[in-house]
């Protein structure tokens, strides 16, 4: 069995969906949370010069989406056939767009601009993405519990992660999207995910 080491800062960021994917598989891994000084020393030895990084039996894999999909393929959470895998790729791309909006707002330094961005997230951005995710959920011909196919995939986990992050900031209201609220709760209640959520460190972002 492969040995995994996941390296990132002490926060959710781009690594949290990977931690959730690893948790969902039950895989053993070392969750290495680095401070800035440690990262500065480690950075020259990395492939791409940024984290997260997954070390698999001593070999490095960079880019969060690639890592999450690799974990999914290794542990049966990557969908069945080219169509389901393409759907998963699509969902990852949509989540990247939403995560970018969330991160840009979080790290905005101008307080007035930040307040405007928060309002836009609440009233326009999040409702738009919830509509998209709900359409994908409803279009799954194998049931409306999961986004792709008839069992959990990394697509469900990455959508859960980005919605969970938005919800933790008070940015999302599920009142108009009860199916997505139900979806989020179902993923959170998956036994291994529930155990991880119960034990994970508190983090601002």
């Amino acid at each position: 069995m492969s040995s995994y080491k996941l390296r990132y800062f002490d926060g959710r960021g781009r690594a949290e969906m990977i931690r959730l994917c690893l948790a969902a598989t039950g895989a053993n891994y070392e969750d290495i949370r680095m401070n800035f000084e440690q990262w500065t020393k480690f950075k020259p030895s990395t492939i791409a010069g940024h984290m997260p990084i997954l070390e698999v039996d001593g070999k490095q894999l960079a880019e969060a989406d690639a890592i999450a999909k690799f974990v999914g393929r290794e542990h049966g959470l990557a969908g069945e056939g080219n169509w389901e895998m393409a759907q998963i790729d699509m969902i990852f791309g949509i989540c990247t767009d939403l995560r970018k909006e969330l991160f840009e707002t979080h790290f905005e330094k101008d307080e007035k601009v930040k307040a405007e961005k928060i309002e836009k997230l609440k009233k326009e951005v999040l409702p738009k993405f919830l509509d998209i995710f709900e359409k994908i959920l409803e279009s799954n011909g194998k049931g409306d519990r999961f986004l792709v196919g008839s069992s959990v995939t990394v697509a469900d986990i990455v959508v859960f992660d980005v919605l969970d992050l938005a919800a933790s900031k008070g940015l999302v209201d599920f009142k108009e999207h009860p199916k997505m609220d139900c979806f989020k709760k179902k993923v959170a209640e998956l036994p291994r995910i529930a155990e991880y959520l119960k034990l994970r460190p508190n983090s601002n972002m």
Side-chain angles (χ1 to χ4, degrees):
M1 184 171 290
S2 293
S3 168
Y4 296 139
K5 289 182 181 180
L6 179 64
R7 294 181 185 270
Y8 194 65
F9 299 107
D10 187 15
R12 295 191 193 185
R14 294 283 289 162
E16 191 63 12
M17 66 177 179
I18 302 166
R19 296 184 186 118
L20 286 161
C21 288
L22 287 163
T25 68
N28 290 321
Y29 74 102
E30 191 175 348
D31 186 14
I32 302 171
R33 295 174 181 244
M34 307 177 79
N35 59 35
F36 186 74
E37 184 180 350
Q38 291 169 325
W39 165 237
T40 301
K41 290 178 181 177
F42 183 70
K43 185 176 179 179
S45 68
T46 65
I47 293 174
H50 57 251
M51 295 191 289
I53 291 168
L54 184 69
E55 293 179 13
V56 184
D57 298 331
K59 296 176 290 187
Q60 287 187 15
L61 184 63
E63 299 296 337
D65 286 4
I67 295 169
K69 290 174 188 177
F70 167 78
V71 170
R73 288 193 296 269
E74 288 288 287
H75 298 275
L77 300 180
E80 296 181 9
N82 287 338
W83 178 250
E84 288 189 6
M85 286 187 281
Q87 286 181 297
I88 289 171
D89 287 342
M90 174 185 73
I91 291 165
F92 267 75
I94 293 166
C95 287
T96 295
D97 293 341
L98 175 52
R99 193 177 281 106
K100 182 182 177 185
E101 299 262 12
L102 294 173
F103 286 174
E104 284 181 355
T105 299
H106 179 77
F107 291 109
E108 174 60 57
K109 293 181 179 179
D110 185 311
E111 290 302 320
K112 183 181 178 183
V113 173
K114 186 170 186 172
E116 290 170 354
K117 286 185 175 181
I118 287 172
E119 279 305 298
K120 186 177 179 182
L121 277 173
K122 288 180 177 179
K123 293 180 178 178
E124 298 177 31
V125 177
L126 265 304
K128 179 187 79 172
F129 278 95
L130 285 169
D131 281 344
I132 292 169
F133 293 137
E134 200 161 86
K135 284 177 185 175
I136 295 171
L137 189 68
E138 290 171 346
S139 70
N140 184 3
K142 298 182 180 178
D144 63 358
R145 181 172 183 182
F146 301 111
L147 293 161
V148 178
S150 56
S151 61
V152 65
T153 68
V154 287
D156 300 298
I157 295 168
V158 71
V159 171
F160 168 81
D161 174 51
V162 74
L163 293 182
D164 186 53
L165 180 60
S168 75
K169 298 293 179 185
L171 297 172
V172 59
D173 183 358
F174 290 103
K175 224 180 313 184
E176 300 298 319
H177 297 86
K179 287 186 178 180
M180 291 312 300
D181 188 28
C182 185
F183 164 83
K184 181 175 174 292
K185 288 174 181 173
K186 284 175 179 175
V187 175
E189 289 167 0
L190 294 169
R192 287 171 174 166
I193 296 289
E195 184 65 18
Y196 172 77
L197 294 175
K198 188 168 66 175
L199 298 173
R200 76 174 171 183
N202 289 327
S203 172
N204 185 39
M205 194 67 176

